Amino acid sequence: MSDMLDKVVLAATALAATTTVATADELSILKARLAALQSQLDTIHTTTAITSPDLRNVRGHGGNTWGLSAVRDAANVGDAGGFTIAITPTADLPAPVAEVTVYGYAAGHIAYDFDQNHGTASSFKANTLSTGNAADNGDHVSLTHRRSRVGIKSKIKTGIGRVRTRLEIDANADAEGNTDTGSTNIRLRHAVGHWDMTSDWTLSVGQWWFTAALLPISVSTVDAAGALLTHSRRPQVRLSYSDGPLSWAVAIESPSFESETNLPNIATYIQYDIAGGHELIVTAEVADFEPAGNDEIGWAIQVGTNVNIADIAILTAGFGYGEGLLTRKFVFEESFDNVDADGDPLEALAFLVGLSFALSETTDFNTQLSYVEALADQNGNEEEQVYKLHANIMWRPVKQIRMGWEVVWARKQLEDGQDEDGLRASFATWFFF
């Protein structure tokens, strides 16, 4: 009986051991299957995160950071402003596939003119200086919202490169040309598209800054007219190249003058950014036009530099020389002619020198002197020499507000020896959204 009991116990023990081994094997197989399933889930999650777009809304990106910007316009842009809608592969990835930004500001300018009326509060041009006209004498106060601005820009990644666009408008004069009124027309500033064909090459088509403008040169000003040696916008087709510190562009732009050939202008620039915050730019442009029945070519060449002084201040300087084209296109004074008394392109030169430095984290001081001179007699009693001096303080207490106080002095001399100067004190506030 005892032997029988021992055999039963031995058999039960063997069965239990066999069952334990089988259970361990099944558990190992189950764990392996669970691991494989988890790996498949991780793969599906990763693939979904990459391919499924994520829509996000962010504040900012409202500045001129997607292309060239004018330094004298620096007070009118702010990356902290604007409202951006971005579509990204995942909310954690920094680079969006598509991005649209709406930006702008409401602005108000008030100016006090000593002795004469120099026109709209937002823009003081030396050609408003009166030479002996008693009707224009007397102090004058003007107030305008003319430079309020709104814009929309986008960038989208495509299979053939990135596409960027900008559409920007501001308030302009009313139908009668008055600028200090409540009724204004809308002016188109920029309407341009950029195709970044590669990381180095870009094709731009539309209304954009003059290709030969000295955009990096000048200081930020309250006065919208800025320095005498300045720039504006024109329809164009431009091919640009950028590789590290070197950038270059060539463009054809709409004609500046009346001509029988009606050929477009040809413009180019080359810019090199030097380590330490220094910049050097050279620009050139030629234009076919026919003043007084003479088939002529107008041209201009400009050179500019920015020098970083020990990270404390920026010294800026620019020089321009040309015939016909310089006074008509790059000097912001309408009463300068583009032809001399003989009907030939007017020879002229212009320069500016300025200094900008920070008084604190929120306050900047800017000053600049600019000058233009016609080197030949003009048709009619036009300016021969014009000087313009700016000095201002820009204060940005918060990202949404910027204020500027400025004094502008200008002097012009006519061909017949008459001369006149004028003084303006102005204040402006920009409210960014």
Side-chain angles (χ1 to χ4, degrees):
M1 185 68 178
S2 176
D3 293 339
M4 181 64 68
L5 182 60
D6 291 339
K7 290 179 181 179
V8 171
V9 171
L10 182 62
T13 302
L15 179 61
T18 302
T19 303
T20 301
V21 173
T23 302
D25 291 342
E26 292 176 356
L27 183 59
S28 297
I29 293 173
L30 181 60
K31 287 182 177 179
R33 289 178 178 176
L34 287 174
L37 181 60
Q38 183 63 48
S39 177
Q40 293 177 2
L41 289 174
D42 291 342
T43 301
I44 293 173
H45 175 74
T46 302
T47 304
T48 303
I50 293 176
T51 58
S52 299
D54 178 74
L55 184 66
R56 59 188 175 93
N57 304 326
V58 296
R59 287 285 299 166
H61 300 183
N64 282 337
T65 56
W66 293 1
L68 296 175
S69 61
V71 172
R72 70 173 177 82
D73 200 34
N76 300 336
V77 296
D79 281 340
F83 183 79
T84 299
I85 300 175
I87 301 175
T88 62
T90 172
D92 297 327
L93 294 181
V97 173
E99 189 172 306
V100 178
T101 301
V102 179
Y103 64 94
Y105 60 83
H109 293 245
I110 185 170
Y112 180 81
D113 296 327
F114 299 84
D115 301 327
Q116 295 184 26
N117 179 3
H118 302 308
T120 175
S122 64
S123 181
F124 173 27
K125 302 176 185 178
N127 61 12
T128 62
L129 293 172
S130 172
T131 53
N133 186 351
D136 290 332
N137 293 335
D139 298 353
H140 181 75
V141 177
S142 56
L143 176 64
T144 182
H145 65 288
R146 182 181 180 186
R147 296 295 170 175
S148 299
R149 182 182 305 177
V150 64
I152 182 170
K153 59 184 180 178
S154 71
K155 62 179 179 180
I156 302 173
K157 288 185 178 180
T158 72
I160 57 173
R162 186 175 62 174
V163 175
R164 297 175 288 124
T165 66
R166 180 187 292 274
L167 181 65
E168 186 176 272
I169 60 176
D170 67 2
N172 201 4
D174 63 15
E176 287 74 34
N178 300 314
T179 56
D180 298 320
T181 64
S183 176
T184 59
N185 291 330
I186 296 299
R187 179 182 66 166
L188 179 66
R189 284 174 50 86
H190 297 295
V192 63
H194 308 282
W195 173 24
D196 298 325
M197 300 177 289
T198 69
S199 59
D200 298 328
W201 292 95
T202 298
L203 177 66
S204 302
V205 181
Q207 177 160 297
W208 193 236
W209 294 113
F210 287 157
T211 303
L214 292 177
L215 288 179
I217 309 304
S218 186
V219 301
S220 180
T221 59
V222 174
D223 180 26
L228 289 172
L229 190 61
T230 184
H231 41 267
S232 189
R233 296 151 293 272
R234 186 168 294 278
Q236 62 189 265
V237 177
R238 182 192 302 188
L239 181 65
S240 306
Y241 173 81
S242 178
D243 183 15
L246 178 68
S247 58
W248 166 85
V250 62
I252 57 174
E253 300 176 348
S254 59
S256 296
F257 312 103
E258 296 291 336
S259 76
E260 291 183 354
T261 59
N262 215 17
L263 293 176
N265 301 346
I266 300 176
T268 185
Y269 79 84
I270 184 169
Q271 180 176 335
Y272 190 81
D273 298 333
I274 304 171
H278 315 294
E279 296 174 303
L280 177 64
I281 183 172
V282 179
T283 77
E285 185 160 347
V286 295
D288 176 73
F289 69 108
E290 191 176 359
N294 298 321
D295 191 10
E296 300 284 356
I297 296 293
W299 61 273
I301 184 169
Q302 300 185 109
V303 179
T305 185
N306 289 322
V307 179
N308 182 5
I309 305 175
D311 293 329
I312 299 175
I314 297 294
L315 175 66
T316 185
F319 174 80
Y321 176 78
E323 294 184 356
L325 193 58
L326 182 73
T327 52
R328 179 67 178 267
K329 192 168 186 180
F330 297 110
V331 174
F332 204 68
E333 291 292 334
E334 282 85 348
S335 59
F336 266 98
D337 208 343
N338 65 298
V339 296
D340 60 24
D342 297 324
D344 298 322
L346 178 66
E347 183 182 7
L349 63 84
F351 73 83
L352 67 84
V353 59
L355 186 67
S356 177
F357 60 90
L359 300 176
S360 68
E361 292 184 356
T362 60
T363 308
D364 298 326
F365 174 77
N366 306 280
T367 185
Q368 182 168 267
L369 173 67
S370 52
Y371 169 82
V372 61
E373 179 180 359
L375 301 178
D377 291 338
Q378 301 179 69
N379 284 328
N381 193 28
E382 306 290 350
E383 287 103 334
E384 183 179 18
Q385 297 174 342
V386 171
Y387 304 82
K388 198 173 184 183
L389 176 64
H390 290 79
N392 67 60
I393 292 178
M394 296 287 192
W395 179 49
R396 195 155 195 167
V398 293
K399 294 179 179 180
Q400 291 76 25
I401 299 177
R402 187 163 188 168
M403 299 180 181
W405 295 262
E406 184 170 75
V407 175
V408 184
W409 172 83
R411 178 184 179 87
K412 75 175 181 180
Q413 181 174 334
L414 302 185
E415 295 172 0
D416 59 7
Q418 296 186 70
D419 60 76
E420 187 61 78
D421 57 13
L423 183 65
R424 160 176 285 187
S426 61
F427 168 75
T429 303
W430 297 262
F431 299 94
F432 298 90
F433 63 78

